[in-house]
Amino acid sequence: MRDERGRVAGVGLRGVVSAATVAVLMLTAGCMWQQQRLARADIPGTWTGGDAGTLRFKDDGTVVASNLAEYNRDGDKVSECSGTGEWGVYPDDKAAKQLWISVCEGNPWEFGGSKEYPKMRRSVGNPDHGNFQTLSREEREPPGASGPSAGA
């Protein structure tokens, strides 16, 4: 419906600015999750989330969990899990949206973030509450970046 000036009734500049402000705040606060597909070869390495714990994925399909946080139905951290198990991707093809681990509770993990800065997360607590445990992959060193140089 339009008013006498031809504007859409009920939508003013304030509404547009408010919507844009909310969108910017959500992006800067990290509220937006962008689903990613990761190639199986991009998963090995260390993924950490500070007090959320650490997962170390190896090329041979093993995973080592260190102090991986476990949560109750309310989404509160109640304990930590450590151990060694196996990992795989869903579906088991060249690019996957999700990953599973055989150690610790809570599957699946889904991939997000960007190709340069991938993240993985899993739902914790009551799924209706929208709480997630998120891990980021630690930066990989380029080949030959560590250790003394050959000329030294």
Side-chain angles (χ1 to χ4, degrees):
M1 175 180 243
R2 298 192 179 269
D3 66 11
E4 67 278 356
R5 292 185 182 157
R7 297 180 295 188
V8 176
V11 178
L13 183 56
R14 285 186 187 168
V16 172
V17 170
S18 295
T21 302
V22 169
V24 168
L25 287 173
M26 288 177 71
L27 285 172
T28 58
C31 295
M32 301 287 289
W33 179 261
Q34 185 174 357
Q35 183 80 41
Q36 292 290 329
R37 288 184 177 267
L38 255 63
R40 186 177 176 91
D42 291 331
I43 298 167
T46 300
W47 296 70
T48 187
D51 68 343
T54 301
L55 292 172
R56 286 181 184 82
F57 296 94
K58 298 180 182 179
D59 291 325
D60 67 0
T62 58
V63 60
V64 177
S66 301
N67 304 320
L68 191 64
E70 293 185 320
Y71 301 85
N72 65 16
R73 182 101 171 121
D74 294 326
D76 299 321
K77 181 178 173 181
V78 294
S79 64
E80 294 178 343
C81 174
S82 295
T84 301
E86 298 177 334
W87 68 273
V89 294
Y90 302 116
D92 192 14
D93 60 11
K94 293 184 181 186
K97 291 181 182 178
Q98 296 181 327
L99 168 132
W100 58 266
I101 60 174
S102 66
V103 62
C104 303
E105 296 285 326
N107 282 309
W109 290 83
E110 65 180 356
F111 298 115
S114 66
K115 290 288 184 185
E116 297 80 27
Y117 302 104
K119 297 181 181 294
M120 67 172 60
R121 74 178 185 181
R122 66 179 177 177
S123 179
V124 297
N126 184 334
D128 293 335
H129 294 160
N131 295 322
F132 296 94
Q133 177 181 21
T134 304
L135 304 178
S136 299
R137 188 176 63 206
E138 291 183 356
E139 291 295 319
R140 296 180 179 180
E141 291 187 16
S146 62
S149 63

